[in-house]
Amino acid sequence: MTTQETNELAIVRVLTPAVVFAPGGVDEVLGKIKAEVQTIDRDISTEQGRAVIRSTAYKIARSKTALDKMGKELGEQHFKAWKGITGERARIEKELDALRESFRKPLTDWEQAEFARLAAHEYAIKQIIELGKTEPGFTSQALQARIDELIAMPERDWQEFAKRASDTSMSVMAALNGQLQEAKRQEAERAELERLRQERIAREQAERDARIAAEAAELARRRAEEIAKAEAEAEERRVREVMDKIARDREQERRLAQEEQARVAREKEIAERARHDAERMAARAEEQRIAAERRAEQDRIDAAKPADEERQAAIEAERRRVSEEKAKAEAEDAARAANRRHRERINREARDALVALSLTTEHAALILNAIAAGKVPHVKITY
């Protein structure tokens, strides 16, 4: 075999099966391959360096395939030496797989670190976005808590994600601040409406009390007027009777005059007492009006207490709900992470089992991916 594919290492392209599988030939070929690979600089700091590593690792794999093909063809030509050649083929595969893995390890480690770094940045940005997800009815306290949590997020080196993280954070902060101002406006409107309602209730109660007091004073005034009118009419009747009696009996004028003076004094005393009674009733009505105003103010204060208690209860319920949702989200994240680790462990064990059956790591990974994607009929992985 003198013609080889151009994707192998240079040392492999000029080899023949007879040279490779001659006594000591495999050791010499592997040594030359390793020596050639060691001359290649592995620089993962640049894209060109990483491309060289990928290309060399691929050439090692292709060289392994080419040498294995040489051995297979030579084995077919020399059936009696098949077992020895098979052993050498296995050794070639094993050592070149190990060489490929070893040679590629810096790039593999870099790729894994790069993946973890990118995933960490994406997760941090997702956390910022989650803080901006609110629901209708969020209180100003809940929105302020979200803003405080966003402000308190730890500093990190965003690297190439700096602009995206800054834009996301500013967008979420602007949205939360807008919602906070709207929530405060609505809460202030509700508080003002409640204050006006309580003032209206107190004002109506005071007006009712004042009306009752005025009606009581008016009733007392009418009663006083009726008493005074009745006394005046009685006085007029009595004067006529006295005059008639004087005309009939002048001799009894002095006695009657004295009796009349005593009677008038008594009537004046009665009228004065009635006036005092009316003033006392008016004063009592005023006291009742003041007491009614005080009761209305106390009723307003008592009515406001349940509203404050309900508001505090609502705030506490909202805090508990936010805490429960946060705990639920953390539990779901932990469950997803555990499931991901479980699936990775099963996939790793299945891949190792396939590799143990003389498959390459890459072929094993391809097979597992195909099974997981449902592209292999009647075969599936149980997690």
Coordinates of all heavy atoms in Angstrom, one line a residue, residues 202-288:
A202 N -67.5 61.3 58.6 CA -67.4 62.1 59.8 C -68.2 63.3 59.6 O -68.9 63.8 60.5 CB -66.0 62.4 60.1
R203 N -68.1 64.0 58.4 CA -68.9 65.2 58.1 C -70.4 64.9 58.1 O -71.1 65.7 58.7 CB -68.4 65.8 56.8 CG -69.1 67.1 56.5 CD -68.4 67.8 55.2 NE -68.6 66.9 54.1 CZ -67.6 66.2 53.5 NH1 -66.4 66.2 54.1 NH2 -67.8 65.4 52.4
E204 N -70.8 63.9 57.5 CA -72.2 63.5 57.5 C -72.7 63.3 58.9 O -73.8 63.7 59.3 CB -72.5 62.3 56.6 CG -72.3 62.7 55.1 CD -72.4 61.4 54.3 OE1 -72.5 60.3 54.9 OE2 -72.4 61.5 53.0
Q205 N -71.9 62.6 59.7 CA -72.3 62.3 61.1 C -72.4 63.6 61.9 O -73.4 63.8 62.7 CB -71.3 61.3 61.8 CG -71.7 60.9 63.2 CD -73.0 60.2 63.2 OE1 -73.2 59.3 62.4 NE2 -73.8 60.5 64.2
A206 N -71.4 64.5 61.7 CA -71.5 65.8 62.4 C -72.7 66.6 62.0 O -73.3 67.2 62.8 CB -70.2 66.6 62.1
E207 N -73.0 66.6 60.7 CA -74.2 67.3 60.2 C -75.4 66.7 60.8 O -76.4 67.5 61.2 CB -74.2 67.2 58.7 CG -73.1 68.0 58.0 CD -73.1 67.8 56.5 OE1 -73.9 67.0 56.0 OE2 -72.3 68.5 55.8
R208 N -75.5 65.4 60.9 CA -76.7 64.8 61.6 C -76.8 65.2 63.0 O -77.9 65.5 63.5 CB -76.6 63.2 61.4 CG -76.9 62.7 60.0 CD -77.2 61.2 60.1 NE -76.0 60.5 60.5 CZ -75.1 60.1 59.6 NH1 -75.2 60.3 58.3 NH2 -74.0 59.4 60.1
D209 N -75.7 65.1 63.7 CA -75.7 65.5 65.1 C -76.1 67.0 65.3 O -76.8 67.3 66.2 CB -74.3 65.3 65.8 CG -74.0 63.8 65.8 OD1 -74.9 62.9 65.7 OD2 -72.8 63.4 65.9
A210 N -75.5 67.9 64.4 CA -75.8 69.3 64.5 C -77.3 69.5 64.2 O -78.0 70.3 64.9 CB -75.0 70.1 63.5
R211 N -77.9 68.7 63.2 CA -79.3 68.9 62.9 C -80.2 68.4 64.1 O -81.2 69.1 64.4 CB -79.6 68.0 61.7 CG -81.0 68.2 61.2 CD -81.2 67.6 59.8 NE -80.9 66.2 59.8 CZ -79.8 65.7 59.3 NH1 -78.9 66.4 58.7 NH2 -79.6 64.3 59.3
I212 N -79.7 67.4 64.7 CA -80.5 66.9 65.9 C -80.5 67.9 67.0 O -81.5 68.2 67.7 CB -80.0 65.5 66.4 CG1 -80.2 64.5 65.3 CG2 -80.5 65.2 67.7 CD1 -79.5 63.1 65.6
A213 N -79.3 68.5 67.2 CA -79.2 69.5 68.3 C -80.0 70.8 68.0 O -80.7 71.3 68.9 CB -77.7 69.9 68.5
A214 N -80.0 71.2 66.7 CA -80.8 72.3 66.3 C -82.3 72.1 66.5 O -83.0 72.9 66.9 CB -80.4 72.7 64.8
E215 N -82.7 70.9 66.1 CA -84.1 70.5 66.2 C -84.5 70.5 67.7 O -85.6 70.9 68.1 CB -84.3 69.1 65.6 CG -84.2 69.2 64.1 CD -84.4 67.8 63.5 OE1 -84.4 66.8 64.3 OE2 -84.4 67.7 62.2
A216 N -83.6 70.0 68.6 CA -83.9 70.0 70.0 C -84.0 71.4 70.5 O -84.9 71.8 71.3 CB -82.8 69.3 70.7
A217 N -83.1 72.3 70.1 CA -83.1 73.7 70.5 C -84.4 74.4 70.0 O -85.1 75.2 70.8 CB -81.9 74.5 70.0
E218 N -84.8 74.1 68.8 CA -86.0 74.7 68.2 C -87.2 74.2 69.0 O -88.2 75.0 69.3 CB -86.1 74.3 66.8 CG -87.4 74.8 66.1 CD -87.4 76.4 66.0 OE1 -86.4 77.0 66.2 OE2 -88.5 76.9 65.8
L219 N -87.2 72.9 69.4 CA -88.3 72.4 70.1 C -88.4 73.1 71.5 O -89.5 73.4 72.0 CB -88.2 70.9 70.3 CG -89.2 70.2 71.2 CD1 -90.6 70.3 70.5 CD2 -88.9 68.7 71.3
A220 N -87.3 73.3 72.1 CA -87.3 73.9 73.4 C -87.8 75.4 73.3 O -88.5 75.9 74.2 CB -85.9 73.9 74.0
R221 N -87.4 76.1 72.2 CA -87.8 77.4 72.0 C -89.3 77.5 71.8 O -90.0 78.3 72.4 CB -87.1 78.0 70.8 CG -87.4 79.5 70.6 CD -86.8 80.0 69.3 NE -87.4 79.3 68.1 CZ -88.6 79.6 67.6 NH1 -89.3 80.5 68.1 NH2 -89.1 78.9 66.6
R222 N -89.9 76.6 71.0 CA -91.3 76.6 70.8 C -92.1 76.3 72.1 O -93.2 76.9 72.3 CB -91.7 75.5 69.7 CG -91.3 76.0 68.3 CD -92.1 75.1 67.3 NE -91.8 73.7 67.4 CZ -90.8 73.1 66.7 NH1 -90.0 73.8 65.9 NH2 -90.6 71.8 66.9
R223 N -91.5 75.3 72.8 CA -92.2 75.0 74.1 C -92.2 76.3 75.0 O -93.2 76.6 75.7 CB -91.5 73.9 74.8 CG -91.8 72.5 74.1 CD -91.1 71.4 74.8 NE -91.7 71.3 76.2 CZ -91.2 70.4 77.1 NH1 -90.2 69.6 76.8 NH2 -91.8 70.3 78.3
A224 N -91.1 77.0 75.0 CA -91.0 78.2 75.9 C -92.0 79.2 75.4 O -92.7 79.9 76.2 CB -89.6 78.8 75.9
E225 N -92.1 79.4 74.1 CA -93.1 80.4 73.5 C -94.5 80.0 73.8 O -95.4 80.8 74.2 CB -92.9 80.5 72.0 CG -91.6 81.2 71.6 CD -91.5 81.2 70.1 OE1 -92.3 80.5 69.4 OE2 -90.5 81.9 69.6
E226 N -94.8 78.7 73.7 CA -96.2 78.2 74.1 C -96.5 78.5 75.5 O -97.6 78.9 75.9 CB -96.3 76.7 73.7 CG -96.3 76.4 72.2 CD -96.2 74.9 72.0 OE1 -96.1 74.2 72.9 OE2 -96.3 74.5 70.8
I227 N -95.5 78.2 76.4 CA -95.8 78.5 77.8 C -96.0 79.9 78.1 O -96.9 80.3 78.8 CB -94.6 77.9 78.6 CG1 -94.5 76.4 78.6 CG2 -94.7 78.4 80.1 CD1 -93.3 75.8 79.2
A228 N -95.1 80.8 77.4 CA -95.3 82.2 77.6 C -96.6 82.7 77.1 O -97.3 83.6 77.7 CB -94.1 83.0 76.9
K229 N -97.1 82.2 75.9 CA -98.3 82.6 75.3 C -99.5 82.2 76.2 O -100.4 82.9 76.5 CB -98.5 82.0 74.0 CG -99.8 82.4 73.3 CD -99.8 81.7 71.9 CE -101.1 82.1 71.2 NZ -101.2 81.5 69.8
A230 N -99.4 80.9 76.7 CA -100.5 80.5 77.6 C -100.5 81.3 78.9 O -101.6 81.7 79.4 CB -100.2 79.0 78.0
E231 N -99.4 81.7 79.4 CA -99.4 82.5 80.6 C -99.9 83.9 80.4 O -100.7 84.5 81.2 CB -98.0 82.6 81.2 CG -97.5 81.3 81.8 CD -96.0 81.4 82.2 OE1 -95.4 82.4 81.9 OE2 -95.5 80.5 82.9
A232 N -99.6 84.4 79.1 CA -100.1 85.8 78.8 C -101.6 85.7 78.6 O -102.3 86.7 79.1 CB -99.5 86.2 77.5
E233 N -102.2 84.7 78.0 CA -103.6 84.6 77.9 C -104.3 84.4 79.2 O -105.3 85.0 79.5 CB -103.9 83.4 77.0 CG -103.5 83.6 75.5 CD -103.7 82.4 74.7 OE1 -104.1 81.3 75.3 OE2 -103.6 82.4 73.4
A234 N -103.6 83.6 80.1 CA -104.2 83.4 81.4 C -104.2 84.8 82.2 O -105.1 85.1 82.9 CB -103.4 82.4 82.2
E235 N -103.0 85.5 82.0 CA -102.9 86.8 82.6 C -104.0 87.8 82.2 O -104.6 88.5 83.0 CB -101.6 87.4 82.3 CG -101.4 88.8 82.9 CD -101.3 88.8 84.4 OE1 -101.2 87.7 85.0 OE2 -101.5 89.9 85.0
E236 N -104.3 87.8 80.9 CA -105.4 88.6 80.3 C -106.7 88.3 80.9 O -107.5 89.1 81.3 CB -105.4 88.5 78.8 CG -106.3 89.5 78.1 CD -106.3 89.4 76.6 OE1 -105.4 88.6 76.1 OE2 -107.1 90.0 75.9
R237 N -107.0 87.0 81.0 CA -108.3 86.6 81.6 C -108.4 87.0 83.0 O -109.4 87.4 83.5 CB -108.4 85.0 81.4 CG -108.7 84.6 80.0 CD -109.2 83.2 80.0 NE -108.2 82.3 80.6 CZ -107.2 81.7 79.9 NH1 -107.0 81.9 78.6 NH2 -106.4 80.9 80.5
R238 N -107.3 86.8 83.7 CA -107.3 87.1 85.1 C -107.5 88.6 85.4 O -108.2 89.1 86.3 CB -106.0 86.7 85.8 CG -106.0 85.2 86.1 CD -104.9 84.8 87.0 NE -103.6 84.8 86.3 CZ -103.1 83.8 85.6 NH1 -103.7 82.7 85.5 NH2 -101.9 84.0 85.0
V239 N -106.9 89.5 84.5 CA -107.0 90.9 84.6 C -108.5 91.3 84.4 O -109.1 92.2 85.2 CB -106.1 91.7 83.6 CG1 -106.5 93.1 83.5 CG2 -104.7 91.5 84.0
R240 N -109.1 90.7 83.4 CA -110.6 91.0 83.2 C -111.4 90.6 84.4 O -112.3 91.4 84.8 CB -111.1 90.3 81.9 CG -110.5 91.0 80.6 CD -111.4 90.5 79.4 NE -111.3 89.0 79.3 CZ -110.4 88.4 78.5 NH1 -109.5 89.1 77.9 NH2 -110.5 87.1 78.4
E241 N -111.1 89.5 84.9 CA -111.9 89.0 86.1 C -111.7 90.0 87.3 O -112.6 90.3 88.0 CB -111.5 87.6 86.5 CG -111.9 86.6 85.4 CD -111.3 85.2 85.8 OE1 -110.5 85.1 86.7 OE2 -111.6 84.2 85.0
V242 N -110.4 90.4 87.4 CA -110.1 91.3 88.6 C -110.9 92.7 88.4 O -111.5 93.2 89.3 CB -108.6 91.6 88.7 CG1 -108.3 92.7 89.6 CG2 -108.0 90.3 89.2
M243 N -110.8 93.2 87.1 CA -111.5 94.5 86.9 C -113.0 94.3 87.1 O -113.7 95.3 87.7 CB -111.3 94.9 85.4 CG -109.8 95.3 85.1 SD -109.2 96.6 86.1 CE -110.2 98.0 85.5
D244 N -113.6 93.2 86.7 CA -115.0 93.0 87.0 C -115.3 92.9 88.5 O -116.3 93.5 89.0 CB -115.5 91.7 86.3 CG -115.5 91.8 84.8 OD1 -115.4 93.0 84.3 OD2 -115.5 90.8 84.1
K245 N -114.4 92.2 89.1 CA -114.6 92.1 90.5 C -114.4 93.4 91.3 O -115.1 93.7 92.2 CB -113.6 91.1 91.1 CG -113.9 90.7 92.5 CD -113.0 89.5 92.9 CE -113.3 89.1 94.3 NZ -112.4 88.0 94.8
I246 N -113.5 94.3 90.8 CA -113.3 95.6 91.4 C -114.5 96.4 91.2 O -115.0 97.2 92.1 CB -112.1 96.3 90.8 CG1 -110.8 95.6 91.2 CG2 -112.0 97.8 91.2 CD1 -109.5 96.1 90.6
A247 N -115.1 96.3 90.0 CA -116.3 97.1 89.7 C -117.5 96.7 90.7 O -118.3 97.5 91.1 CB -116.7 96.9 88.3
R248 N -117.5 95.4 90.9 CA -118.6 94.9 91.8 C -118.3 95.2 93.2 O -119.2 95.4 94.0 CB -118.8 93.4 91.6 CG -119.4 93.0 90.2 CD -119.8 91.6 90.2 NE -118.7 90.7 90.5 CZ -117.8 90.2 89.6 NH1 -118.0 90.4 88.3 NH2 -116.9 89.4 90.0
D249 N -117.1 95.2 93.6 CA -116.8 95.3 95.0 C -115.5 96.1 95.2 O -114.4 95.6 95.3 CB -116.7 93.9 95.7 CG -116.7 93.9 97.2 OD1 -116.8 95.0 97.8 OD2 -116.5 92.8 97.8
R250 N -115.6 97.4 95.3 CA -114.5 98.3 95.4 C -113.9 98.1 96.8 O -112.7 98.4 97.0 CB -114.9 99.7 95.3 CG -115.1 100.2 93.8 CD -115.5 101.6 93.8 NE -115.5 102.1 92.4 CZ -114.5 102.5 91.7 NH1 -113.3 102.5 92.3 NH2 -114.6 102.9 90.5
E251 N -114.6 97.7 97.7 CA -114.1 97.5 99.1 C -113.0 96.4 99.2 O -112.2 96.5 100.0 CB -115.3 97.2 100.0 CG -116.3 98.3 100.2 CD -117.4 97.9 101.2 OE1 -117.4 96.8 101.6 OE2 -118.2 98.8 101.4
Q252 N -113.1 95.5 98.3 CA -112.1 94.4 98.3 C -110.9 94.7 97.4 O -110.1 93.8 97.2 CB -112.8 93.1 97.9 CG -113.9 92.7 98.8 CD -114.5 91.3 98.4 OE1 -114.2 90.8 97.4 NE2 -115.5 90.9 99.2
E253 N -110.8 96.0 96.9 CA -109.8 96.3 95.9 C -108.4 96.1 96.4 O -107.5 95.5 95.8 CB -110.0 97.8 95.5 CG -109.0 98.2 94.4 CD -109.2 99.6 93.9 OE1 -110.1 100.2 94.5 OE2 -108.4 100.0 93.1
R254 N -108.1 96.6 97.6 CA -106.8 96.5 98.2 C -106.4 95.0 98.3 O -105.3 94.6 98.0 CB -106.7 97.2 99.5 CG -105.3 97.2 100.1 CD -105.3 97.9 101.4 NE -105.6 99.3 101.2 CZ -105.7 100.3 102.1 NH1 -105.6 99.9 103.4 NH2 -106.0 101.5 101.8
R255 N -107.3 94.2 98.9 CA -107.0 92.8 99.1 C -106.7 92.1 97.8 O -105.7 91.3 97.6 CB -108.1 92.1 99.9 CG -107.8 90.6 100.2 CD -109.0 90.1 101.0 NE -110.2 90.2 100.3 CZ -110.6 89.3 99.4 NH1 -109.9 88.3 99.0 NH2 -111.8 89.5 98.8
L256 N -107.6 92.4 96.8 CA -107.4 91.8 95.5 C -106.1 92.2 94.9 O -105.4 91.4 94.2 CB -108.6 92.1 94.6 CG -110.0 91.5 95.1 CD1 -111.1 91.9 94.2 CD2 -109.8 89.9 95.0
A257 N -105.8 93.5 95.1 CA -104.6 94.0 94.4 C -103.4 93.3 95.0 O -102.4 93.0 94.3 CB -104.5 95.5 94.7
Q258 N -103.4 93.1 96.3 CA -102.3 92.4 97.0 C -102.2 91.0 96.4 O -101.1 90.5 96.2 CB -102.5 92.5 98.5 CG -102.3 93.8 99.1 CD -102.6 93.9 100.6 OE1 -103.1 92.9 101.2 NE2 -102.2 95.0 101.2
E259 N -103.4 90.3 96.4 CA -103.4 89.0 95.9 C -102.8 88.9 94.4 O -102.1 88.0 94.0 CB -104.8 88.4 95.9 CG -105.3 88.1 97.3 CD -106.7 87.6 97.4 OE1 -107.3 87.6 96.3 OE2 -107.2 87.3 98.4
E260 N -103.3 90.0 93.6 CA -102.8 90.0 92.2 C -101.3 90.2 92.1 O -100.6 89.6 91.3 CB -103.5 91.2 91.5 CG -103.1 91.3 90.0 CD -103.6 90.1 89.2 OE1 -104.5 89.3 89.7 OE2 -103.1 89.9 88.1
Q261 N -100.7 91.1 93.0 CA -99.3 91.2 93.0 C -98.5 89.9 93.3 O -97.5 89.6 92.7 CB -98.9 92.3 94.0 CG -99.4 93.7 93.5 CD -99.0 94.8 94.6 OE1 -98.6 94.5 95.7 NE2 -99.3 96.1 94.2
A262 N -99.1 89.2 94.3 CA -98.5 88.0 94.7 C -98.5 87.0 93.5 O -97.6 86.2 93.2 CB -99.1 87.4 95.9
R263 N -99.7 87.0 92.9 CA -99.9 86.1 91.7 C -98.9 86.4 90.6 O -98.3 85.5 90.0 CB -101.3 86.1 91.2 CG -101.6 85.1 90.1 CD -103.0 85.4 89.6 NE -103.2 86.7 89.1 CZ -102.7 87.1 87.9 NH1 -102.0 86.3 87.2 NH2 -102.9 88.4 87.5
V264 N -98.8 87.7 90.3 CA -97.9 88.1 89.2 C -96.5 87.7 89.5 O -95.7 87.3 88.7 CB -98.0 89.6 89.0 CG1 -96.9 90.1 88.0 CG2 -99.4 90.0 88.4
A265 N -96.1 87.9 90.8 CA -94.7 87.5 91.2 C -94.5 86.0 91.0 O -93.5 85.6 90.5 CB -94.5 87.9 92.7
R266 N -95.5 85.2 91.3 CA -95.4 83.8 91.1 C -95.3 83.5 89.6 O -94.5 82.6 89.2 CB -96.6 83.1 91.7 CG -96.6 83.0 93.3 CD -97.6 82.0 93.8 NE -98.9 82.3 93.4 CZ -99.7 83.1 94.0 NH1 -99.3 83.8 95.1 NH2 -101.0 83.3 93.6
E267 N -96.2 84.2 88.8 CA -96.1 83.9 87.4 C -94.8 84.3 86.8 O -94.2 83.6 85.9 CB -97.3 84.6 86.7 CG -98.6 84.1 87.0 CD -99.8 84.8 86.4 OE1 -99.5 85.9 85.9 OE2 -100.9 84.4 86.5
K268 N -94.3 85.5 87.3 CA -92.9 85.8 86.8 C -91.9 84.8 87.2 O -91.0 84.5 86.4 CB -92.5 87.2 87.4 CG -93.3 88.4 86.7 CD -92.8 89.7 87.3 CE -93.6 90.9 86.7 NZ -93.1 92.2 87.2
E269 N -92.0 84.3 88.3 CA -91.1 83.2 88.8 C -91.2 82.0 87.9 O -90.2 81.4 87.5 CB -91.4 82.9 90.2 CG -90.4 81.8 90.8 CD -90.7 81.5 92.2 OE1 -91.6 82.1 92.8 OE2 -90.0 80.6 92.8
I270 N -92.5 81.7 87.5 CA -92.7 80.5 86.6 C -92.1 80.8 85.3 O -91.4 79.9 84.7 CB -94.2 80.2 86.5 CG1 -94.7 79.7 87.9 CG2 -94.4 79.2 85.4 CD1 -96.2 79.6 88.0
A271 N -92.3 82.0 84.8 CA -91.7 82.4 83.4 C -90.2 82.3 83.4 O -89.6 81.9 82.5 CB -92.2 83.7 83.0
E272 N -89.7 82.9 84.6 CA -88.2 82.8 84.7 C -87.7 81.4 84.7 O -86.6 81.1 84.1 CB -87.8 83.6 85.9 CG -86.3 83.7 86.1 CD -85.6 84.6 85.0 OE1 -86.4 85.4 84.4 OE2 -84.4 84.5 84.8
R273 N -88.4 80.6 85.4 CA -88.0 79.2 85.5 C -88.1 78.5 84.2 O -87.2 77.7 83.8 CB -88.9 78.4 86.5 CG -88.4 77.0 86.9 CD -89.3 76.3 87.9 NE -89.3 77.0 89.1 CZ -90.4 77.6 89.6 NH1 -91.5 77.6 88.9 NH2 -90.3 78.3 90.8
A274 N -89.1 78.8 83.4 CA -89.3 78.2 82.1 C -88.1 78.7 81.2 O -87.6 77.9 80.3 CB -90.6 78.6 81.5
R275 N -87.7 80.0 81.3 CA -86.6 80.5 80.5 C -85.3 79.8 80.8 O -84.6 79.4 80.0 CB -86.5 82.0 80.8 CG -85.4 82.7 79.9 CD -85.3 84.1 80.1 NE -84.9 84.4 81.5 CZ -83.6 84.3 81.9 NH1 -82.7 84.0 81.0 NH2 -83.3 84.6 83.1
H276 N -85.1 79.6 82.2 CA -83.9 78.8 82.6 C -83.9 77.4 82.1 O -82.9 76.9 81.6 CB -83.8 78.8 84.1 CG -83.4 80.1 84.7 ND1 -82.2 80.8 84.2 CD2 -83.9 80.9 85.6 CE1 -82.1 81.9 84.9 NE2 -83.1 82.1 85.8
D277 N -85.1 76.8 82.1 CA -85.3 75.4 81.6 C -84.9 75.4 80.1 O -84.2 74.4 79.6 CB -86.7 74.9 81.8 CG -86.9 74.6 83.3 OD1 -86.0 74.5 84.0 OD2 -88.1 74.5 83.6
A278 N -85.4 76.4 79.3 CA -85.1 76.4 77.9 C -83.6 76.5 77.6 O -83.0 75.9 76.7 CB -85.9 77.5 77.2
E279 N -82.9 77.4 78.4 CA -81.5 77.6 78.3 C -80.7 76.3 78.6 O -79.7 76.0 77.9 CB -81.0 78.7 79.2 CG -81.5 80.1 78.8 CD -81.1 81.2 79.7 OE1 -80.5 80.9 80.8 OE2 -81.2 82.4 79.4
R280 N -81.2 75.6 79.7 CA -80.5 74.3 80.0 C -80.7 73.3 78.9 O -79.8 72.6 78.6 CB -81.1 73.8 81.3 CG -80.6 74.5 82.6 CD -80.8 73.7 83.8 NE -82.3 73.5 84.0 CZ -83.1 74.3 84.7 NH1 -82.6 75.4 85.2 NH2 -84.4 74.0 84.8
M281 N -81.9 73.3 78.3 CA -82.1 72.3 77.2 C -81.2 72.7 76.0 O -80.6 71.8 75.3 CB -83.6 72.4 76.8 CG -84.5 71.8 77.8 SD -86.2 71.8 77.3 CE -86.2 70.7 75.9
A282 N -81.0 74.0 75.7 CA -80.2 74.4 74.6 C -78.7 74.0 74.9 O -78.0 73.5 74.0 CB -80.3 75.9 74.4
A283 N -78.3 74.2 76.2 CA -76.9 73.9 76.5 C -76.7 72.4 76.4 O -75.7 71.9 76.0 CB -76.6 74.4 78.0
R284 N -77.7 71.6 76.9 CA -77.6 70.1 76.8 C -77.6 69.7 75.3 O -76.8 68.8 75.0 CB -78.8 69.5 77.5 CG -78.7 68.0 77.6 CD -79.9 67.3 78.3 NE -80.0 67.8 79.7 CZ -80.9 68.6 80.1 NH1 -81.9 69.1 79.3 NH2 -80.9 69.1 81.4
A285 N -78.3 70.4 74.5 CA -78.3 70.0 73.0 C -76.9 70.3 72.4 O -76.4 69.5 71.6 CB -79.3 70.8 72.3
E286 N -76.3 71.4 72.9 CA -74.9 71.7 72.4 C -73.9 70.7 72.9 O -73.0 70.3 72.1 CB -74.5 73.1 72.9 CG -73.1 73.6 72.5 CD -73.0 73.7 71.0 OE1 -74.0 73.8 70.3 OE2 -71.8 73.8 70.5
E287 N -74.1 70.3 74.1 CA -73.2 69.2 74.7 C -73.3 67.9 73.9 O -72.4 67.2 73.6 CB -73.5 69.0 76.2 CG -73.1 70.2 77.0 CD -73.5 70.0 78.5 OE1 -74.2 68.9 78.8 OE2 -73.2 70.8 79.4
Q288 N -74.6 67.6 73.6 CA -74.8 66.4 72.8 C -74.2 66.5 71.4 O -73.7 65.5 70.8 CB -76.4 66.2 72.6 CG -77.0 65.7 74.0 CD -78.5 65.6 73.8 OE1 -79.1 66.0 72.8 NE2 -79.2 65.1 74.9

